[in-house]
Amino acid sequence: MIRIAAVGDIHMGPESQGVLRPAFETLPECADVLLLAGDLTRHGTPEEARVVAREIKDLGVPVVAVLGNHDHHDERPEEVTAILEDGGARVLEGQETVVECAAGRVGVAGTKGFCGGFAGRNAGEFGEPLMKEFVRTTRRHADSLRTALERLDGQDCAVRVALTHFSPVPDTLAGEPLEIYPFLGSYLLAEAIDGAGADLAVHGHAHAGTEHGMTSGGVRVRNVAQPVIGRAFHVYHLQVPERVSAPVGGQAH
């Protein structure tokens, strides 16, 4: 059994230093890895990133993260990334990493993702250059996620996890106003996950959404935005499949 702890949308600022640390310090007892699904800061400032870095430093389990839209607000994502990595996190953007656990290797592919909507109610690459670029931005994120998952397929991983900030499915948005669904995720992310294969997909962003969802290809999706899970993190247990090269498998509870 592989234990995946995950949370997103912790939105930390200077006055919240130490709020999550006591819970995070229990992670070695209950989890093999901590995934952070973006919006770790409020406005993407280096000061806020340093708060997060102190919160996750020397936890005793690997920490893998993606940035969210809030982490881009100050337009210094590279600096935010560097600070988080100094704190011990591996920050992914169209990349993958492998975590060694007692029960097997965990492959994590990550990207922030972007918006655009879901099948039948989505933006298309048509019209003004700005609209085309909007959709192409989402496609680039999705393509990078697919490629990262595909690279993991050859690395003897027991399970593979897709980590994003924006949602790949509408299921986990239930509770949000329908009018803002196109700004909360994109079906292109789900296509990438189903195309390359994964055992679990984790995202944040939808504060009023729902925890449980699934791609059309059968990959379990979990919205781990902190307002949704209502705790410092939630732990998902993945069964290690007998054939580790299977593109879709495992169980998330």
Side-chain angles (χ1 to χ4, degrees):
M1 188 79 70
I2 291 176
R3 305 164 301 170
I4 308 288
V7 67
D9 302 83
I10 55 178
H11 294 287
M12 301 202 80
E15 72 280 6
S16 55
Q17 184 71 67
V19 169
L20 294 175
R21 182 71 189 191
F24 281 176
E25 287 180 346
T26 69
L27 281 163
E29 304 166 14
C30 61
D32 299 303
V33 60
L34 172 63
L35 305 184
L36 299 176
D39 276 7
L40 311 179
T41 66
R42 294 178 184 170
H43 302 98
T45 66
E47 180 185 24
E48 293 170 345
R50 282 189 283 271
V51 172
V52 180
R54 288 190 289 269
E55 212 78 348
I56 63 174
K57 190 173 181 64
D58 299 325
L59 287 183
V61 298
V63 180
V64 184
V66 294
L67 299 186
N69 54 304
H70 279 249
D71 306 317
H72 280 256
H73 180 69
D74 203 44
E75 300 185 7
R76 290 192 272 182
E78 294 85 2
E79 193 170 347
V80 169
T81 293
I83 292 168
L84 294 176
E85 291 192 333
D86 284 345
R90 173 77 170 99
V91 183
L92 305 177
E93 182 47 69
Q95 301 156 312
E96 73 284 348
T97 191
V98 176
V99 176
E100 299 284 351
C101 301
R105 291 161 60 86
V106 179
V108 183
T111 181
K112 175 177 66 66
F114 199 50
C115 41
F118 302 92
R121 295 174 176 84
N122 58 280
E125 291 181 50
F126 183 84
E128 301 91 330
L130 283 174
M131 179 55 74
K132 293 175 186 174
E133 182 55 28
F134 178 88
V135 178
R136 287 169 185 165
T137 297
T138 303
R139 191 174 297 281
R140 284 194 293 269
H141 281 282
D143 288 347
S144 71
L145 180 64
R146 180 194 294 261
T147 300
L149 284 167
E150 289 173 344
R151 286 194 294 260
L152 287 172
D153 193 35
Q155 297 190 46
D156 193 29
C157 295
V159 295
R160 288 181 293 162
V161 181
L163 175 62
T164 65
H165 179 61
F166 287 80
S167 177
V169 296
D171 307 21
T172 51
L173 307 183
E176 295 280 4
L178 287 171
E179 293 84 356
I180 69 169
Y181 273 34
F183 305 103
L184 297 176
S186 170
Y187 78 99
L188 293 174
L189 295 169
E191 284 192 348
I193 292 166
D194 283 340
D199 300 280
L200 176 67
V202 172
H203 75 87
H205 195 44
H207 292 196
T210 301
E211 182 182 357
H212 294 259
M214 187 175 290
T215 69
S216 61
V219 177
R220 292 165 177 82
V221 180
R222 299 294 181 259
N223 176 2
V224 298
Q226 193 178 45
V228 172
I229 62 174
R231 63 195 78 180
F233 56 84
H234 191 74
V235 178
Y236 302 98
H237 296 84
L238 300 182
Q239 296 282 358
V240 178
E242 293 183 8
R243 297 180 61 188
V244 299
S245 60
V248 179
Q251 294 183 3
H253 303 288

